[in-house]
Amino acid sequence: MIKILLSLLTALIFAGCHNAESGSAEKMYTPTNNFTQDATDIFTQDTKIVDVIAYKNFENFGRLIFPVNRDIDKNLTLKNLGDVLIWYSYINPDKTVEIVNYMKAKSDAGEKIFFDIYTDAEKKSDPRKNDTG
């Protein structure tokens, strides 16, 4: 079970990596206020993807959890993540919710769950590296 969860988590995280020529590092996501961002709350299938991205404990990496080279409608929920991950034939909404709640729990507990691949200097010299991690 843990191996499957880690594999799915890895796949979800790497979905955010791409050739970042779109400049999406500047794209800001604002929570829709449907998610209170309280540590006791959990994400559900009806949670909007923008609320996951903007979750306070995901800091500045929330936008990298999902593909950065795809526009994400502000009303799209986790149960409809397949509308964004068009290269996958089946996205299990229950597993998606399980994964983002696992990431939330770790982040809420103060564990580091995101790691930069490049230094700030490397990102400054090549802005395409801003959308990696």
Side-chain angles (χ1 to χ4, degrees):
M1 174 70 166
I2 295 295
K3 282 176 99 174
I4 293 170
L5 182 60
L6 289 176
S7 295
L8 291 170
L9 180 62
T10 301
L12 187 62
I13 290 171
F14 281 117
C17 298
H18 80 292
N19 182 347
E21 293 178 354
S22 67
S24 59
E26 291 79 31
K27 188 185 300 183
M28 298 302 294
Y29 291 95
T30 306
T32 64
N33 295 324
N34 291 346
F35 188 79
T36 63
Q37 299 211 1
D38 186 304
T40 61
D41 285 342
I42 61 168
F43 298 121
T44 68
Q45 287 189 25
D46 293 322
T47 301
K48 294 183 178 174
I49 293 173
V50 294
D51 289 335
V52 175
I53 292 170
Y55 181 59
K56 65 182 179 184
N57 288 345
F58 289 164
E59 299 171 10
N60 62 351
F61 71 84
R63 65 185 183 77
L64 297 175
I65 296 172
F66 303 97
V68 295
N69 61 343
R70 308 263 314 146
D71 286 329
I72 298 175
D73 183 280
K74 68 179 181 172
N75 294 309
L76 196 65
T77 62
L78 290 173
K79 71 179 155 201
N80 299 114
L81 180 60
D83 293 351
V84 176
L85 302 177
I86 58 173
W87 47 90
Y88 293 103
S89 59
Y90 177 71
I91 303 295
N92 181 329
D94 291 328
K95 189 54 71 177
T96 299
V97 169
E98 180 182 342
I99 292 168
V100 294
N101 279 313
Y102 174 82
M103 294 171 66
K104 179 186 177 302
K106 294 294 186 183
S107 185
D108 289 348
E111 292 184 39
K112 186 172 178 84
I113 64 169
F114 180 81
F115 298 86
D116 277 316
I117 295 172
Y118 300 104
T119 65
D120 289 340
E122 290 171 314
K123 290 179 193 178
K124 187 174 181 177
S125 68
D126 184 355
R128 296 175 300 165
K129 294 178 179 175
N130 287 323
D131 288 336
T132 61

